[in-house]
Amino acid sequence: MFRAATLRSLERYYGGGVDRDHPWLSPLSQDLAGLPPSLVLVGSSELLLDDSVRYAARAPQATLEVWHGMPHVFPLFRGLAEGDAAIAGCGRWVRERTAAATAGN
C-alpha cells in the first residue's frame, strides 16, 4: 500500500521542510516515558514495520502485535478474517486495561 519511493516524493509536504527527526514529525524523536499503555498493530509486510517495532521497544507500556502477511491498516478491511480478529483483539485489550484501572474503585 505504501512504497518508500512514494513517501519520499511526498516528504516535502509533510512537515513543511522541518528536519525529519524533529519531535513534531515522529514519536520516535520523543521521550516516550510516562505514556499510558498502547497497542501497536502492524502487518509484517508493511513499510512501517520497523518504525512500529522501534516505537514499541521504546514506549514503556507498549504491546506490539505483528500480523504475518498483513498490509498497512489491515484491521479496517471488514470481512478480512485477520482484520476482524484484530478489531476483536483491540476490544479485549481495551477492556482488560480499563477493568484493571477501575478495579480499585
Side-chain angles (χ1 to χ4, degrees):
M1 191 168 214
F2 286 127
R3 293 179 331 141
T6 303
L7 291 179
R8 279 192 296 276
S9 72
L10 299 173
E11 187 174 32
R12 65 181 168 192
Y13 301 109
Y14 182 73
V18 173
D19 178 21
R20 70 176 358 169
D21 293 323
H22 193 284
W24 292 348
L25 298 182
S26 172
L28 295 173
S29 301
Q30 297 285 332
D31 176 8
L32 303 177
L35 286 179
S38 58
L39 175 62
V40 180
L41 301 178
V42 62
S44 67
S45 62
E46 73 165 277
L47 186 62
L48 299 176
L49 173 62
D50 292 344
D51 287 342
S52 299
V53 171
R54 286 198 319 256
Y55 174 85
R58 290 193 50 227
Q61 297 186 68
T63 300
L64 174 67
E65 293 185 8
V66 179
W67 289 71
H68 180 69
M70 291 294 105
H72 186 63
V73 301
F74 74 94
L76 298 181
F77 298 118
R78 299 310 312 232
L80 177 68
E82 293 88 344
D84 291 345
I87 292 290
C90 288
R92 279 191 304 279
W93 188 89
V94 168
R95 283 189 301 277
E96 289 168 2
R97 269 119 198 114
T98 54
T102 58
N105 295 335

